Amino acid sequence: MALASRVWRFLPLGRGAVPGTRFPKRTWGSREQCCPGRFRGPEVTGNAGTLKRGLLFSALSYLGCETYQVISQAAVVHATAKVEEILEQADYLYESGETEKLYQLLTQYKESEDAEVLWRLARASRDIAQLSGTSEEEKKLYVYEALEYAKRALEKNESSFAAHKWYAICISDVGDYEGIKVKIANAYIIKEHFEKAIELNPKDATSVHLMGVWCYTFAEMPWYQRRIAKMLFATPPSSTYEEALGYFHRAEQVDPNFYSKNLLLLGKTYLKLKNKKLAAFWLMKAKDYPAHTEEDKQGLVNIAQADLELLGSSDSPISIS
């Protein structure tokens, strides 16, 4: 799953402008506003020398504006090309599973103003936190760092589905350090941003899957957490396994076999709904899924195998890891 642009500012050419030349108030970038097409009569009346100087000043002013336009346009093109190059490198490293290299690349641009760079940096920070070699102390730092990048990405572009998605993911991660009250309160925000991500890009299977995870989580919420939620909120978040199942299937329709955990959760959800036949079908697919990610390597296949072994002997609910 292939889950800045820097603004190049150029100062007005004040030092190169001819003394005495008056520019009208305008916004830089509009040729019509920047470069007057003619001089008015009173400004060029007088002897021949004054007229020649006036024409020379006019030509220099026009050339100065033209030069400014060319430089500005070239700067924008260069900045855009540079951002595209960064994103291309980042996506290649992400697809290759080069988590550390990706993080090192993108942190060079952590002051970027481009949402596309920032949400990728949030994702990279989170992926570093998930590595088995990351200590618990480091993991916490990376999790909060990821949230800051995701927040900035969303501030820069509220129309970016990926910014909404990664903001929701990062808020969810931070909830593990904030306590049950904050975690439940954040659930509403998380759902809102996942729904917005799906609205902006219904073809993103990951956003659809994550909405399913949200539903599954609250469908299987332990009784004591439900009790706390009811004490804290008049209408605590809730969902059903049927809702979760709908999102997981929808994600598969968008992008079949895109994610091992979606296959696993389809199996687990069918287990919750007491449908052993379909549970076995999806769990087998999860068990046979090639281990591409760190998450795969850390046990999803084993979880699927364990659930399969329990299918024939018990109907008891099996918690998700």
Side-chain angles (χ1 to χ4, degrees):
M1 296 182 301
L3 304 170
S5 98
R6 295 188 176 185
V7 179
W8 286 41
R9 295 182 180 177
F10 287 81
L11 296 175
L13 303 178
R15 285 188 234 173
V18 179
T21 304
R22 294 178 294 175
F23 290 94
K25 293 181 180 179
R26 75 286 182 261
T27 303
W28 285 98
S30 172
R31 180 174 299 179
E32 290 74 19
Q33 293 174 319
C34 176
C35 304
R38 68 181 70 175
F39 279 90
R40 287 168 289 182
E43 296 183 5
V44 297
T45 55
N47 59 36
T50 301
L51 178 58
K52 288 180 181 179
R53 286 195 297 273
L55 291 173
L56 178 59
F57 292 166
S58 175
L60 290 173
S61 298
Y62 182 80
L63 288 173
C65 288
E66 287 294 302
T67 301
Y68 177 84
Q69 294 289 332
V70 171
I71 293 174
S72 297
Q73 291 169 10
V76 171
V77 170
H78 179 76
T80 302
K82 185 175 182 179
V83 171
E84 292 301 320
E85 181 181 339
I86 294 167
L87 299 183
E88 185 177 342
Q89 292 176 18
D91 290 343
Y92 174 78
L93 290 173
Y94 180 74
E95 292 291 345
S96 302
E98 297 284 357
T99 304
E100 292 94 340
K101 290 181 181 179
L102 174 60
Y103 180 77
Q104 291 168 5
L105 168 70
L106 291 177
T107 48
Q108 297 177 62
Y109 308 98
K110 61 184 179 181
E111 301 302 326
S112 170
E113 299 294 316
D114 191 285
E116 292 297 306
V117 171
L118 291 169
W119 72 253
R120 283 173 171 82
L121 186 48
R123 180 181 65 183
S125 301
R126 183 181 185 270
D127 286 348
I128 286 283
Q130 300 295 319
L131 292 178
S132 57
T134 304
S135 69
E136 286 302 315
E137 184 178 349
E138 290 173 327
K139 180 177 180 179
K140 183 177 179 179
L141 293 174
Y142 284 124
V143 163
Y144 278 92
E145 180 182 320
L147 178 59
E148 286 303 309
Y149 293 136
K151 182 179 179 181
R152 284 175 53 202
L154 195 58
E155 289 172 350
K156 298 303 177 184
N157 185 4
E158 291 187 355
S159 297
S160 167
F161 83 92
H164 283 279
K165 176 173 68 176
W166 286 100
Y167 182 63
I169 292 171
C170 293
I171 289 179
S172 179
D173 289 344
V174 166
D176 293 337
Y177 301 97
E178 299 287 343
I180 186 65
K181 182 176 180 179
V182 173
K183 194 166 187 176
I184 294 173
N186 284 345
Y188 297 99
I189 301 171
I190 293 167
K191 182 181 181 183
E192 176 187 342
H193 286 283
F194 281 148
E195 289 176 336
K196 186 63 177 179
I198 294 170
E199 177 189 330
L200 290 168
N201 185 5
K203 295 299 183 182
D204 180 56
T206 310
S207 298
V208 180
H209 162 80
L210 291 170
M211 192 65 243
V213 173
W214 190 97
C215 294
Y216 188 99
T217 300
F218 285 99
E220 75 158 4
M221 179 185 284
W223 66 269
Y224 65 89
Q225 289 188 4
R226 291 184 187 278
R227 187 171 182 178
I228 294 173
K230 287 181 180 179
M231 292 172 61
L232 296 174
F233 305 96
T235 55
S238 63
S239 189
T240 65
Y241 291 119
E242 288 80 5
E243 285 182 286
L245 190 66
Y247 281 110
F248 295 143
H249 273 299
R250 182 176 167 186
E252 284 299 309
Q253 291 170 359
V254 171
D255 191 0
N257 298 317
F258 76 105
Y259 188 26
S260 58
K261 196 167 185 178
N262 198 65
L263 303 175
L264 178 67
L265 284 171
L266 275 163
K268 284 185 168 293
T269 307
Y270 275 117
L271 274 177
K272 297 290 188 180
L273 296 172
K274 312 299 182 183
N275 189 327
K276 289 187 177 183
K277 182 177 180 180
L278 287 175
F281 172 79
W282 290 105
L283 289 171
M284 282 295 295
K285 293 193 70 169
K287 184 179 77 70
D288 296 336
Y289 194 88
H292 294 304
T293 67
E294 186 72 17
E295 189 175 35
D296 294 333
K297 297 172 186 175
Q298 288 180 10
L300 283 182
V301 171
N302 294 333
I303 295 168
Q305 180 62 47
D307 287 351
L308 282 166
E309 291 172 358
L310 288 168
L311 266 175
S313 59
S314 174
D315 287 329
S316 62
I318 304 170
S319 63
I320 184 170
S321 299

